[in-house]
Amino acid sequence: MARAQGARAQMGFAFETTYGTPPVGGFTKMPFASTTLGAEQPLQTSELLGYGRDPQAPIKDAVTADGNVVVPIDVEAFGFWLKACFGEPVTTGAEAPYTHAFHSGNWSLPSFSIETGMPEVPRYAMYAGCMVDSLNWQMARSGLLTATTSIVAQGETIATSTAAGTPADIALKRFGHFNGAITRNGGNIGNVVSADINYANNLDRIETIRADGKIDGADPSIAALTGNVVIRFADQSLVNQALNGDPCTLEFSYKLASGEHLTLTAHAVYLPRPRIEISGPQGVQATFDWQAASDVVVGRMCTVTLTNDRKTY
């Protein structure tokens, strides 16, 4: 008997024309490191009395389909997740390379379908009506660069054969921590040990009464862009900004020698006053838990640009 192995798992991704309806084709094979995406339906314990000490049979509750997908931050495939998170990009360039600009604040976000497959069982799970609730990643000096996408789905359908057909392949070219840089108001911050970036759509599930127990959709509410930067304390520039309450522009970027690059620009970032602790003889570090807001000049909170050879998403 064949046993399921993660090494043989596969994932197909396609944007939907109609929410909750998987497309009949056009799936793309997506690289991923792990996933917790799945559906669950808890049981409600019987509250009835008069039948002795042993309870009556439980009843089924509503279906919840959600989870995380950990994906590499790469040159091409990551653009699908950015479109799902921010909406349709503004693409410029008459020929390759193309620059795709994703803007925060869109009220209309695309839904998509994901199929995860374990062909040796066989088990193919189709998740329809998927939307990105949040996207986050960490910047560090070393290690593998991945992002975590938190997904809200409408439901799960299990089959013994794939409904995604033969997904289109993507040439994998990854960004690495070595390619990363952080700037403040166009200049290098310096002494940054690590950084976290988290963008949240704060989806509101539409939990109507349905015979199948699924949700009717998920509406985006007020977005949030938050994170932190951990620095070796060397000067008062960030502390002074926190004390004055002035915003700054933070830019988190990756660039390959071949020219492809990814940049997230938070246009108006506010810093809290941090606690500066001397915990021992080693260097003193300070953590700034920043929050971004809409910039009055640019008219939005953040812009993500991805430059590659792909013409459209």
Side-chain angles (χ1 to χ4, degrees):
M1 178 184 293
R3 295 176 175 83
Q5 292 183 313
R8 297 188 62 185
Q10 52 194 253
M11 177 179 290
F13 180 109
F15 288 107
E16 298 173 346
T17 302
T18 303
Y19 175 81
T21 303
V24 295
F27 280 80
T28 301
K29 184 178 180 180
M30 299 297 286
F32 71 105
S34 64
T35 178
T36 61
L37 187 60
E40 58 183 0
Q41 188 174 22
L43 298 175
Q44 291 281 4
T45 302
S46 174
E47 84 287 18
L48 299 178
L49 305 177
Y51 295 92
R53 291 186 58 221
D54 294 335
Q56 297 299 294
I59 60 172
K60 293 181 179 180
D61 203 355
V63 176
T64 300
D66 55 20
N68 297 331
V69 180
V70 179
V71 299
I73 298 182
D74 72 318
V75 168
E76 189 171 347
F78 195 58
F80 287 92
W81 298 109
L82 292 175
K83 178 180 175 179
C85 185
F86 293 96
E88 195 77 32
V90 176
T91 300
T92 56
E95 58 183 23
Y98 302 96
T99 297
H100 312 279
F102 303 86
H103 299 164
S104 64
N106 286 322
W107 285 104
S108 179
L109 300 179
S111 65
F112 54 95
S113 293
I114 287 180
E115 184 185 74
T116 58
M118 291 179 281
E120 68 276 10
V121 175
R123 182 184 189 271
Y124 293 87
M126 178 68 75
Y127 301 96
C130 295
M131 297 184 70
V132 171
D133 190 29
S134 65
L135 175 68
N136 65 82
W137 72 90
Q138 293 77 43
M139 298 185 73
R141 186 174 183 272
S142 62
L144 294 173
L145 178 59
T146 58
T148 300
T149 58
S150 179
I151 296 173
V152 172
Q154 185 186 45
E156 175 190 67
T157 303
I158 306 297
T160 56
S161 60
T162 179
T166 303
D169 284 325
I170 283 183
L172 182 62
K173 182 185 286 189
R174 299 180 67 170
F175 294 105
H177 285 295
F178 178 76
N179 310 118
I182 304 174
T183 62
R184 172 180 173 269
N185 292 334
N188 187 22
I189 295 181
N191 300 298
V192 178
V193 177
S194 64
D196 287 356
I197 302 102
N198 182 71
Y199 182 85
N201 283 313
N202 292 316
L203 296 179
D204 179 25
R205 289 178 170 89
I206 306 174
E207 297 178 332
T208 56
I209 299 173
R210 294 172 51 127
D212 56 9
K214 297 178 180 180
I215 62 173
D216 261 346
D219 291 337
S221 59
I222 299 298
L225 177 59
T226 59
N228 67 60
V229 287
V230 180
I231 66 168
R232 277 296 184 100
F233 193 63
D235 60 59
Q236 287 280 108
S237 58
L238 294 182
V239 174
N240 289 337
Q241 179 190 329
L243 293 174
N244 295 332
D246 298 325
C248 71
T249 298
L250 288 183
E251 189 173 274
F252 308 90
S253 63
Y254 302 93
K255 186 172 183 179
L256 299 180
S258 51
E260 299 88 351
H261 58 86
L262 169 70
T263 302
L264 184 148
T265 304
H267 299 291
V269 172
Y270 295 83
L271 303 175
R273 179 174 178 171
R275 183 191 300 270
I276 308 297
E277 297 181 353
I278 304 173
S279 57
Q282 290 81 18
V284 176
Q285 293 187 173
T287 300
F288 292 85
D289 296 312
W290 53 269
Q291 298 180 30
S294 179
D295 182 77
V296 294
V297 176
V298 181
R300 57 181 174 272
M301 181 167 58
C302 71
T303 304
V304 183
T305 58
L306 176 63
T307 299
N308 56 25
D309 290 339
R310 188 179 186 91
K311 188 174 182 178
T312 59
Y313 278 101

